[in-house]
């Protein structure tokens, strides 16, 4: 079952990178993945659903990688910037796919909401792990080690800035390096604010 799902996601990524969002037609995905169209519809209700699932799978792979080789840097800001360098590079190396994913995430399709939330949770965990200088947060952190409201809010704000910066990159307004620089500047401002909390 997992092999079939992976085949579907691999095909969707390939089709998106060939021709963008409009090239990811469910009929074509099913045919190229060697699955019946009905089988595909049982798993994924729309192309947005498939693309967000592909993004979540890639983020899960990144989680495993970061567990072995955490973000590097002497400070929380350095580590967060390193994380965003990695994820930005990963997105930008497949530009048509990245644009398709951005469109899918922002689609507002009800069937996609759960997958977007799962992806955001993964990103929150990766950001907090980078802030703390660890590879990955444990699945069931002790209450004293559970992410604080401040950490969650900081991670959420950084994700929103990153998404907006990627939209700017998608529109040709920002380079990949400028997206990362936006994250460095924003992270520095937000972290200064957190340090200044009473």
């Amino acid at each position: 079952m997992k092999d079939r799902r992976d085949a579907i996601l691999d095909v969707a990524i390939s089709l998106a990178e060939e021709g963008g969002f409009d090239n990811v037609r469910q009929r074509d995905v099913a045919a190229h993945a060697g699955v019946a169209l009905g089988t595909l519809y049982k798993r994924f209700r729309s192309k947005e659903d498939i693309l967000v699932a592909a993004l979540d799978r890639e983020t899960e792979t990144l989680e495993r990688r970061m567990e072995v080789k955490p973000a590097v840097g002497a400070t929380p800001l350095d580590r967060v910037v390193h994380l965003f360098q990695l994820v930005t590079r990963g997105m930008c190396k497949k530009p048509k796919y990245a644009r398709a994913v951005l469109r899918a995430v922002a689609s507002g399709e009800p069937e996609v909401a759960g997958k977007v939330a799962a992806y955001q949770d993964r990103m929150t965990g990766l950001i907090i792990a980078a802030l703390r200088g660890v590879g990955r947060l444990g699945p069931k952190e002790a209450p004293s080690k559970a992410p604080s409201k401040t950490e969650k809010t900081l991670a959420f704000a950084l994700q929103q800035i990153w998404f907006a910066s990627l939209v700017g990159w998608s529109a040709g307004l920002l380079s990949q390096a400028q997206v990362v620089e936006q994250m460095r500047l924003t992270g520095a401002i937000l972290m200064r604010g957190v340090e200044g909390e009473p």
Side-chain angles (χ1 to χ4, degrees):
M1 288 297 223
K2 188 175 188 300
D3 289 345
R4 188 177 293 174
R5 182 177 186 274
D6 283 340
I8 289 167
L9 299 181
D10 290 343
V11 166
I13 291 168
S14 177
L15 289 172
E17 188 51 29
E18 284 173 19
F21 181 83
D22 292 332
N23 201 44
V24 185
R25 292 178 288 276
Q26 287 172 288
R27 185 173 304 280
D28 294 340
V29 172
H32 285 84
V35 301
L37 188 57
T39 300
L40 182 115
Y41 278 122
K42 283 179 188 173
R43 290 174 177 252
F44 304 103
R45 301 252 176 129
S46 65
K47 70 172 75 181
E48 291 88 352
D49 198 11
I50 298 169
L51 288 165
V52 174
L55 176 64
D56 187 51
R57 182 187 68 170
E58 291 188 347
T59 308
E60 183 180 9
T61 301
L62 178 63
E63 279 179 332
R64 289 194 300 270
R65 195 169 112 206
M66 298 302 286
E67 192 169 7
V68 175
K69 193 174 180 185
V72 297
T75 67
L77 178 60
D78 292 341
R79 294 188 296 271
V80 166
V81 170
H82 181 242
L83 172 65
F84 279 108
Q85 283 175 326
L86 293 175
V87 292
T88 302
R89 186 182 313 131
M91 287 289 278
C92 295
K93 73 180 176 184
K94 297 177 191 166
K96 290 181 183 176
Y97 163 68
R99 289 181 180 95
V101 164
L102 291 172
R103 186 168 164 184
V105 168
S107 69
E109 295 290 331
E111 69 269 8
V112 177
K115 287 184 177 76
V116 171
Y119 164 71
Q120 288 179 334
D121 286 347
R122 287 189 192 284
M123 282 298 293
T124 294
L126 286 166
I127 294 166
I128 293 172
L131 286 168
R132 292 181 176 186
V134 297
R136 186 175 186 180
L137 299 181
K140 292 184 179 176
E141 294 284 349
S144 62
K145 293 186 178 182
S148 68
K149 185 175 181 181
T150 299
E151 286 175 319
K152 289 179 184 177
T153 301
L154 181 57
F156 178 79
L158 288 168
Q159 283 186 69
Q160 300 310 303
I161 297 297
W162 184 59
F163 185 82
S165 297
L166 284 176
V167 170
W169 164 81
S170 177
L173 302 174
L174 297 174
S175 68
Q176 181 179 328
Q178 287 171 317
V179 170
V180 175
E181 179 61 8
Q182 283 284 56
M183 299 315 301
R184 188 187 69 74
L185 293 171
T186 303
I189 291 166
L190 291 174
M191 288 180 203
R192 258 199 315 272
V194 168
E195 289 167 4
E197 282 187 351

